[in-house]
Amino acid sequence: KIISLNFNNLKEELKNDEAIVYSVSFNYYKKSNDYAVFIIKRDFKAPKFIPLFEEKQLEFLLARNKSQQDSTRIDKQYQDKAISDLFFKPLEKELKDISTVYLSASGLGHQIDFAALPINNNQTLGEKFKLHILSSPAEIMDYKAKGLDNKNNLELLLYGGIDYDKTNSVAKAGTDIAENNETLKELQTRSGISEF
């Protein structure tokens, strides 16, 4: 079914203020891959190809703060507009009247939280656009945005700040949760972590 889809099938699923941004990475007679996007909008006669950057530029930005503590590195990565400029600066004109973006990443793009990328000092991509991450543009054919229905009695269990290297000095409450939660125990087993 996915293979039989064409450009017209995809654009018919879009509203006038929506766009598909389909990222591709490819080797073009170089040691480093090139990145580009195909943009699909409802009024386009064909997908628009926009070249972006070389992979080594993104590798540099992702690696430059690795020597720092993880939280500091991540903070810097998402306070700096450099990655956002690589991906979205060339697309500004095409996304001018767009409110919803269906993004399909490729290559190192899978390591980036696009919604958290700043586009200016006051706004992130996730604040400017309703950003939906798809593994393939073909997913739009059956795509339904998911949300929490607050009519149901929802129960949420949140984990945060997990210290994987901590020894048995874990607080009793934390130990009880880990012992009673099958998902957490399964994760622990699969990942080879002996203690939470």
Side-chain angles (χ1 to χ4, degrees):
K1 181 181 174 183
I2 289 173
I3 293 172
S4 67
L5 292 174
N6 62 36
F7 165 73
N8 288 326
N9 298 131
L10 297 177
K11 78 174 196 169
E12 286 169 12
E13 293 295 316
L14 297 173
K15 296 177 183 160
N16 290 334
D17 63 342
E18 297 180 336
I20 296 172
V21 176
Y22 179 36
S23 171
V24 292
S25 58
F26 57 93
N27 192 305
Y28 189 67
Y29 303 109
K30 297 179 185 173
K31 291 181 180 178
S32 177
N33 285 337
D34 285 342
Y35 281 69
V37 294
F38 288 98
I39 295 186
I40 299 172
K41 290 172 35 178
R42 188 170 180 82
D43 61 343
F44 279 12
K45 290 188 169 54
K48 187 166 195 173
F49 178 80
I50 300 176
L52 298 178
F53 56 87
E54 284 188 51
E55 186 171 71
K56 60 186 173 186
Q57 293 172 272
L58 182 56
E59 283 175 338
F60 171 77
L61 293 174
L62 292 173
R64 68 181 168 177
N65 299 318
K66 270 199 172 162
S67 62
Q68 298 180 358
Q69 183 184 5
D70 267 356
S71 61
T72 307
R73 176 176 59 88
I74 295 298
D75 286 348
K76 282 193 174 186
Q77 186 167 297
Y78 291 105
Q79 288 169 352
D80 184 347
K81 282 184 51 211
I83 293 175
S84 174
D85 285 347
L86 281 181
F87 277 98
F88 281 93
K89 196 87 168 150
L91 311 181
E92 278 180 337
K93 181 181 165 195
E94 294 301 331
L95 299 178
K96 184 178 174 200
D97 297 320
I98 297 299
S99 65
T100 302
V101 172
Y102 298 94
L103 174 67
S104 178
S106 68
L108 294 176
H110 291 291
Q111 297 180 24
I112 297 167
D113 179 358
F114 285 97
L117 290 176
I119 52 174
N120 57 45
N121 292 336
N122 305 323
Q123 196 175 36
T124 65
L125 280 167
E127 292 167 333
K128 181 172 176 69
F129 302 107
K130 286 182 190 167
L131 193 59
H132 302 274
I133 307 298
L134 308 177
S135 59
S136 160
E139 279 185 51
I140 199 169
M141 300 303 291
D142 299 316
Y143 185 76
K144 301 287 183 270
K146 299 281 191 264
L148 294 177
D149 182 3
N150 51 5
K151 292 176 188 168
N152 296 333
N153 291 329
L154 296 173
E155 287 188 30
L156 301 175
L157 181 57
L158 305 176
Y159 297 97
I162 297 174
D163 184 351
Y164 294 101
D165 297 325
K166 200 153 188 125
T167 59
N168 286 332
S169 61
V170 178
K172 174 96 173 86
T175 305
D176 290 345
I177 290 171
E179 287 173 357
N180 294 321
N181 188 296
E182 291 300 317
T183 305
L184 192 55
K185 283 199 283 189
E186 183 183 327
L187 171 64
Q188 182 176 340
T189 305
R190 283 200 325 254
S191 60
I193 297 167
S194 61
E195 299 279 347
F196 279 107

